[in-house]
Amino acid sequence: MPSSRASSRHFLNATATLIISHGYSAVLIEGDLEKFRDLQKTYADRRAVRTVNQFVGFTAADGLDTILAQTPIPRDFDFLSIDIDGNEYHVWNATSQYKPKVVCVEFNPTIPPEVSFVQPADPTVNQGSSVAALVELGRKKGYELIAVIGVNAFFVVQEFYEQFKVTDNRIETLWTNRDLVTYIFSGYDGQVFLRGCRQLPWLGLPLSESKLQAVPGFVRQYPYSRTRRLIYIALSNPLSLFPKILRELKKYTN
């Protein structure tokens, strides 16, 4: 049972529970040296736990296939947990030589369930991916979604899916706590609204509805006034009207 970022939130993660409460053997991968040393101390008395100090990537040099090949773990081990604050999608996507029975992947909980988003495959970027994108990837790899707990999506190999007796595995059904999602929409008159979380959770900064307005109040009306719209365009971006003016002049010169 391998886990990347195993030392993070040690007493709260599923990996620690399986090791401590159920006696699982494990491969724990941690790139940060200080956290790795803490990991070593935590499991020093457990011979069935192997710790690896390496950042997990998605290339032939640093992917899970390469790292796990240096361990005795079987190809169809029981449980894989990926929690690296960004590139989880790419790490799982790049893993082809191993097919764990259950996979737990962290997702970005600010992204609505119907949105498919994948951050760039870049270790310096920390944006995460949506649960919808992970579900799409999982199905391509032969997995089905069986649970969403907190910011983690759990998948099982399709051949074992029926054993979990999940009658409806749509994201909207399994992901019930969407408190961190912010919704943005507009009225017919062009006013922009925010609902839901309305903040950047990891920065603790609020999102301002007033600062998101694309047009000033005097333009917001329905049906919209063509005259007011043109006045606004002329004031905010006068160069954008030049092509229209040229077209009108051509009519009179031809």
Side-chain angles (χ1 to χ4, degrees), residues 2-247:
S3 171
S4 57
R5 181 62 69 80
S7 63
S8 177
R9 300 182 291 277
H10 167 71
F11 291 106
L12 297 177
N13 67 41
T15 305
T17 301
L18 290 173
I19 296 171
I20 296 171
S21 302
H22 301 282
Y24 267 65
S25 58
V27 176
L28 305 180
I29 308 166
E30 175 58 62
D32 182 271
L33 183 57
E34 184 177 343
K35 292 179 179 178
F36 172 72
R37 287 171 177 165
D38 178 61
L39 198 65
Q40 284 184 309
K41 291 178 183 178
T42 301
Y43 296 105
D45 61 341
R46 294 182 179 270
R47 299 183 63 182
V49 176
R50 176 175 295 200
T51 55
V52 178
N53 182 208
Q54 184 172 343
F55 285 103
V56 180
F58 31 84
T59 68
D62 59 8
L64 277 178
D65 285 343
T66 300
I67 297 173
L68 295 179
Q70 302 172 46
T71 74
I73 198 166
R75 300 281 176 174
D76 61 344
F77 58 90
D78 290 336
F79 180 70
L80 169 65
S81 175
I82 309 175
D83 175 359
I84 54 175
D85 300 333
N87 281 289
E88 289 86 357
Y89 179 100
H90 301 294
V91 168
W92 190 20
N93 185 40
T95 304
S96 60
Q97 300 303 311
Y98 292 83
K99 191 160 187 176
K101 298 178 180 69
V102 177
V103 178
C104 170
V105 190
E106 183 184 45
F107 66 92
N108 184 332
T110 70
I111 306 173
E114 65 274 16
V115 175
S116 182
F117 172 84
V118 179
Q119 74 152 66
D122 185 340
T124 66
V125 175
N126 299 95
Q127 296 170 343
S129 298
S130 68
V131 66
L134 291 171
V135 168
E136 293 169 7
L137 175 61
R139 285 185 175 149
K140 289 178 183 177
K141 296 175 75 68
Y143 288 82
E144 286 291 336
L145 182 70
I146 54 170
V148 178
I149 303 174
V151 297
N152 297 301
F154 290 80
F155 299 86
V156 67
V157 176
Q158 287 173 346
E159 63 183 282
F160 299 125
Y161 175 68
E162 290 187 2
Q163 297 183 29
F164 287 83
K165 302 186 185 305
V166 178
T167 57
D168 182 357
N169 75 335
R170 289 177 299 171
I171 299 170
E172 295 82 356
T173 303
L174 296 179
W175 185 19
T176 57
N177 183 1
R178 300 195 284 271
D179 291 347
L180 294 181
V181 176
T182 296
Y183 297 91
I184 179 171
F185 57 93
S186 66
Y188 296 135
D189 58 359
Q191 182 167 345
V192 175
F193 299 92
L194 289 176
R195 292 296 183 270
C197 180
R198 289 185 276 191
Q199 68 171 335
L200 302 175
W202 295 279
L203 296 176
L205 297 175
L207 294 172
S208 171
E209 194 171 274
S210 62
K211 291 181 179 179
L212 288 176
Q213 300 306 320
V215 294
F218 79 89
V219 180
R220 293 180 223 148
Q221 62 174 202
Y222 182 81
Y224 77 90
S225 165
R226 182 176 178 81
T227 302
R228 292 189 184 189
R229 180 173 177 273
L230 289 175
I231 291 173
Y232 169 65
I233 293 174
L235 292 174
S236 61
N237 186 15
L239 292 178
S240 65
L241 290 180
F242 280 3
K244 181 177 177 61
I245 294 172
L246 290 174
R247 285 196 300 270

